[in-house]
């Protein structure tokens, strides 16, 4: 690695990086053209050589017919099919910016986000064709992938490769623009350059030791940084096989792991939590060598359960954001068996971190403050937005509270907005959830703050009971009384079948609060 100037910004990154996502694919296809790149939901196997040919054709088609070029923003509204990958790398070849649009969104939300992105073109799945009259572009600027189940969705682009012989764009070009989770009107477009994304993929490969013989599965949304960058783009860079699932189904995930010898699993704590109850159906999964969990806090008890299930696999925690192209902190070894179990990790190569107080001064070791990040995979800008989240010298305010020890290990304890202030006493949601999940009879838990006339706000929790458990609110409060300070004990509970999630696949604390209030209302 070395210091490099990329688009006027000096970063510490890898030597000889591929200048774009398209070049990543082309390099791999030239190296191993016959290796299987993608197996999608319809069972279609596509080699890297075939993938490159499909990408070249679609890039030529977009360039010749839609006039997609450097500086264009192209929306990508597709499920996790082969065509999604083809479109992603084809857009890269044109030098345009790919704007993945969540397929979970409803039509009005999609239209609002597309307007905010000021798109030049859209590539979409055929199931979204009825939305054409409402989409903010002319029909001639929309390319649909049709007949995916029967064949290949972009057959109209066959033979167009010569229309765009040379790839456009460079390390400083915006390769992907992803909107942060939240309401569409409040979401911010994060501009990730080729340098950001390529660096992120290379970091994952080196830290996780990913090799061409690995096999990963993407059963989580492919339009988020985890599915898109940490998995798909990393595995294209490595030359390893990616299996795509359109929708998450825990039993199907484990069957795929078993039958296809998946070695590499990366998901959210929620998705991992849905796998654990099926352990008896899949008692041995020896192919898995590593698991990574990100997006929100992973309880130590869950990690240890996975270690007992798959003792030869490591279970590691990764922390990142859309703004960091996925990786920012990574636990350097197996968290489940580490003396630092519960820690988030250390900054990945090329990323600097510091923890500051409300005045912006760095705090001493062990003290909690806001986590700031900057580096090679950290965005330097939002799309048409400057709210002060990124300082002029590149430091990104994450909005997360953390502390670190003298060895550089970082513990991310909560979002600033999620910290509960109970009459001046601080309650960290993630720490309280950890204690709750350690109780016999509790499978999952999510904590939220609820308004209170006396204390301002108090902690409440949604709890998923373990199979066969009848644990009650009184049982939990009694068990916690000897474990944590009284002010941390939730005052009310809602027992649910599943922890509510946001569309960004994070715990929905607002929904937890509503569930508790509904429970209290039913009891009155």
């Amino acid at each position: 690695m070395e210091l490099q100037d990329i688009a006027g910004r000096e970063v510490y990154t890898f030597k000889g990086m591929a200048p774009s996502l398209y070049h990543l694919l082309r390099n791999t296809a030239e190296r191993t053209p016959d290796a299987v790149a993608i197996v999608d939901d319809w069972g279609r196997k596509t080699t890297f050589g075939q993938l490159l040919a499909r990408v070249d054709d679609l890039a030529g088609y977009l360039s010749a017919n839609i006039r997609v070029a450097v500086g264009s923003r192209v929306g990508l509204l597709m499920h996790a099919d082969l065509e999604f990958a083809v479109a992603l790398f084809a857009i890269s070849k044109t030098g345009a910016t790919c704007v993945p649009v969540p397929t979970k969104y409803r039509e009005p939300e999609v239209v609002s986000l597309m307007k905010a992105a000021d798109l030049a073109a859209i590539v979409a799945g055929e199931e979204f064709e009825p939305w054409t009259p409402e989409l903010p572009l002319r029909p001639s600027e929309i390319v649909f992938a049709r007949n995916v189940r029967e064949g290949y969705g972009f057959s109209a682009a066959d033979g167009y490769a010569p229309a765009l012989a040379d790839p456009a764009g460079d390390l400083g070009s915006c390769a992907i623009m992803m909107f942060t989770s939240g309401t569409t009107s409040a979401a911010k477009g994060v501009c990730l350059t080729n340098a950001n994304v390529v660096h992120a993929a290379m970091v994952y490969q080196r830290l996780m030791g990913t090799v061409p013989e690995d096999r990963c599965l993407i059963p989580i949304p492919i339009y988020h940084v985890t599915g898109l960058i940490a998995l798909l783009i990393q595995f294209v860079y490595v030359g390893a096989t990616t299996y795509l699932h359109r929708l998450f189904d825990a039993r199907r995930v484990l069957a795929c792991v078993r039958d296809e010898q998946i070695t590499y699993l990366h998901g959210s704590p929620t998705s991992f939590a849905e796998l654990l109850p099926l352990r008896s159906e899949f008692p041995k999964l020896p192919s898995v060598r590593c698991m990574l969990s990100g997006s929100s806090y992973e309880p130590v008890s869950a990690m240890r359960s996975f270690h007992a299930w798959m003792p030869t696999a490591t279970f590691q925690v990764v922390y990142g954001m859309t703004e960091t192209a996925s990786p920012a902190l990574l636990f350097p070894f197996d968290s489940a068996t580490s003396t630092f179990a519960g820690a988030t990790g250390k900054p990945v190569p090329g990323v600097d971190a510091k923890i500051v107080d409300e005045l912006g001064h760095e705090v001493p070791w062990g003290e909690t403050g806001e986590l700031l990040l900057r580096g090679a995979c950290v965005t330097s800008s939002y799309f048409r937005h400057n709210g002060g989240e990124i300082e002029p010298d590149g430091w990104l305010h994450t909005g997360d509270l953390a502390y670190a020890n003298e060895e550089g290990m970082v513990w991310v304890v909560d979002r600033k907005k999620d910290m509960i202030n109970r009459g001046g006493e601080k309650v960290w949601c993630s720490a309280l959830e950890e204690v709750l999940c350690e109780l016999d009879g509790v499978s999952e838990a999510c904590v939220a703050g609820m308004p209170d006339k006396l204390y301002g706000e108090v902690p409440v929790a949604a709890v998923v009971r373990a199979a066969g458990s009848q644990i009650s609110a009184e049982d939990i409060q009694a068990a916690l009384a000897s474990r944590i300070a009284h002010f941390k004990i939730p005052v009310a509970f809602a027992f649910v079948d599943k922890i509510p999630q946001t569309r960004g696949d994070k715990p929905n604390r607002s929904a937890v609060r509503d569930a508790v209030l509904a429970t209290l209302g039913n009891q009155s």
Side-chain angles (χ1 to χ4, degrees):
M1 297 179 68
E2 63 182 6
L3 282 173
Q4 296 183 41
D5 186 294
I6 298 176
R9 181 184 177 205
E10 192 173 70
V11 294
Y12 187 64
T13 189
F14 298 99
K15 297 180 181 179
M17 288 198 300
S20 74
L21 301 186
Y22 173 80
H23 288 86
L24 279 188
L25 169 62
R26 190 175 71 179
N27 292 346
T28 299
E30 290 175 349
R31 188 172 67 248
T32 56
D34 298 325
V36 176
I38 290 172
V39 182
D40 73 3
D41 230 358
W42 316 113
R44 294 176 294 176
K45 292 185 178 181
T46 304
T47 67
F48 283 102
Q50 292 168 335
L51 178 59
L52 180 64
R54 298 288 199 193
V55 166
D56 285 339
D57 278 343
L58 183 59
Y61 182 88
L62 293 173
S63 176
N65 291 355
I66 317 295
R67 299 294 185 262
V68 173
V70 175
S72 301
R73 285 174 299 282
V74 181
L76 182 51
L77 179 63
M78 301 186 71
H79 291 293
D81 296 326
L82 163 66
E83 286 78 5
F84 182 101
V86 171
L88 170 69
F89 289 98
I91 293 168
S92 173
K93 186 178 183 181
T94 68
T97 300
C98 178
V99 185
V101 179
T103 51
K104 287 184 180 180
Y105 280 10
R106 303 305 184 205
E107 181 181 333
E109 296 170 302
V110 166
V111 171
S112 178
L113 189 148
M114 287 183 171
K115 287 180 178 178
D118 193 10
L119 302 177
I122 298 170
V123 181
E126 60 187 334
E127 53 267 76
F128 300 103
E129 197 159 2
W131 295 5
T132 299
E134 302 302 323
L135 297 181
L137 288 171
R138 295 187 295 270
S140 61
E141 297 167 326
I142 306 173
V143 177
F144 288 103
R146 297 191 174 94
N147 302 314
V148 170
R149 298 190 188 195
E150 292 77 23
Y152 172 63
F154 296 129
S155 57
D158 289 350
Y160 270 87
L164 182 65
D166 299 318
D170 55 28
L171 284 171
S173 302
C174 181
I176 298 172
M177 188 169 84
M178 307 183 82
F179 280 84
T180 57
S181 59
T183 60
T184 308
S185 60
K188 301 188 293 289
V190 179
C191 301
L192 298 174
T193 64
N194 281 301
N196 292 148
V197 180
V198 172
H199 180 94
M202 295 178 73
V203 159
Y204 272 120
Q205 185 277 322
R206 281 152 175 77
L207 296 185
M208 299 309 300
T210 316
V211 295
E213 291 73 28
D214 274 313
R215 295 180 172 208
C216 80
L217 169 64
I218 306 181
I220 54 179
I222 199 168
Y223 49 77
H224 290 162
V225 288
T226 299
L228 186 62
I229 299 173
L231 290 172
L232 177 61
I233 292 173
Q234 182 205 172
F235 271 58
V236 166
Y237 164 64
V238 171
T241 304
T242 300
Y243 287 75
L244 301 178
H245 286 186
R246 278 186 159 212
L247 299 172
F248 180 87
D249 179 275
R251 187 168 280 104
R252 186 173 176 226
V253 165
L254 293 173
C256 183
V257 171
R258 177 195 61 202
D259 299 341
E260 304 299 340
Q261 299 294 292
I262 301 298
T263 65
Y264 193 113
L265 286 174
H266 189 163
S268 67
T270 302
S271 60
F272 278 117
E274 293 195 37
L275 302 182
L276 276 175
L278 301 176
R279 177 179 174 181
S280 61
E281 295 183 38
F282 303 87
K284 294 184 179 180
L285 297 171
S287 65
V288 180
R289 70 169 184 85
C290 65
M291 291 172 278
L292 285 85
S293 178
S295 88
S296 58
Y297 184 74
E298 182 72 63
V300 174
S301 57
M303 292 189 283
R304 288 175 176 160
S305 294
F306 274 100
H307 178 72
W309 184 3
M310 292 173 260
T312 59
T314 59
F315 197 109
Q316 293 166 261
V317 176
V318 60
Y319 165 90
M321 312 166 66
T322 303
E323 286 90 339
T324 66
S326 185
L329 308 174
L330 181 71
F331 200 84
F333 26 77
D334 183 37
S335 184
T337 58
S338 170
T339 56
F340 292 120
T344 306
K346 295 185 175 184
V348 301
V351 171
D352 297 320
K354 66 178 180 179
I355 300 171
V356 303
D357 60 21
E358 294 181 355
L359 297 177
H361 303 137
E362 289 194 56
V363 301
W365 302 118
E367 289 194 13
T368 300
E370 184 184 6
L371 176 66
L372 273 60
L373 300 167
R374 71 175 178 187
C377 58
V378 180
T379 185
S380 60
S381 66
Y382 293 100
F383 179 63
R384 298 176 182 173
H385 169 85
N386 183 7
E389 299 92 341
I390 304 172
E391 295 185 357
D393 57 359
W395 286 106
L396 168 73
H397 287 258
T398 67
D400 286 322
L401 297 170
Y403 65 91
N405 65 12
E406 294 184 6
E407 296 176 343
M409 187 69 77
V410 178
W411 283 256
V412 176
V413 296
D414 230 335
R415 295 288 297 167
K416 286 177 71 174
K417 64 182 180 182
D418 289 338
M419 184 194 75
I420 299 168
N421 187 342
R422 183 188 183 276
E425 298 283 4
K426 296 177 181 178
V427 180
W428 310 117
C429 290
S430 59
L432 180 50
E433 288 160 0
E434 179 71 53
V435 179
L436 285 166
C437 289
E438 291 174 353
L439 301 179
D440 290 337
V442 174
S443 174
E444 297 178 70
C446 182
V447 174
M450 186 175 73
D452 182 83
K453 291 182 179 179
L454 179 59
Y455 296 106
E457 59 179 343
V458 291
V460 297
V463 169
V464 178
R465 293 185 176 103
S469 169
Q470 295 298 318
I471 194 169
S472 67
E474 293 75 17
D475 295 334
I476 294 175
Q477 289 171 328
L480 292 177
S482 62
R483 294 172 180 245
I484 58 177
H486 175 74
F487 70 83
K488 298 179 182 178
I489 297 176
V491 302
F493 296 84
F495 291 92
V496 297
D497 295 328
K498 184 178 179 180
I499 298 298
Q501 301 290 302
T502 67
R503 285 180 176 162
D505 292 321
K506 299 179 185 295
N508 189 333
R509 301 192 191 280
S510 176
V512 166
R513 181 173 56 252
D514 292 344
V516 172
L517 288 171
T519 299
L520 293 173
N522 292 334
Q523 293 173 354
S524 61

